[in-house]
């Protein structure tokens, strides 16, 4: 890439380099890093998204500690 290309990248931004040939998102990380991430999500319950409900300690009941405002 010459100076003209660098100037155009500076003025208009660079094209993202995260897409593969089919247009799917493809982050270019080493296989070792992908394997570590995958193993972490499967073995550590803190990182397993299936264990999270979105609200810690939700019992299905509404809290009534605060009276309604009028």
């Amino acid at each position: 890439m010459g100076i003209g290309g660098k100037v155009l990248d500076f003025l208009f931004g660079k094209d993202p380099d995260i897409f593969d040939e089919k247009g799917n998102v493809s982050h270019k990380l080493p296989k070792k890093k992908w394997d570590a991430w995958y193993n972490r999500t499967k073995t550590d319950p803190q990182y397993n998204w299936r264990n999270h409900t979105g609200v810690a300690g939700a019992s299905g009941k509404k809290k009534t500690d605060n009276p309604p405002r009028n």
Side-chain angles (χ1 to χ4, degrees):
M1 175 183 301
I3 297 236
K6 290 183 181 183
V7 170
L8 290 175
D9 285 346
F10 176 76
L11 293 175
F12 300 107
K14 292 171 66 173
D15 288 334
D17 189 27
I18 62 170
F19 300 105
D20 63 5
E21 301 81 31
K22 296 180 182 179
N24 298 323
V25 174
S26 174
H27 299 283
K28 295 170 178 66
L29 298 173
K31 182 173 176 11
K32 184 177 179 182
K33 197 167 242 186
W34 280 117
D35 291 342
W37 176 82
Y38 180 77
N39 290 333
R40 181 181 72 179
T41 60
K42 294 298 178 191
T43 58
D44 191 350
Q46 179 183 354
Y47 294 108
N48 189 345
W49 62 271
R50 291 178 179 92
N51 294 338
H52 297 285
T53 60
V55 179
S59 62
K61 296 181 182 178
K62 261 187 159 175
K63 289 178 79 176
T64 57
D65 293 346
N66 298 329
R69 294 184 187 178
N70 291 333

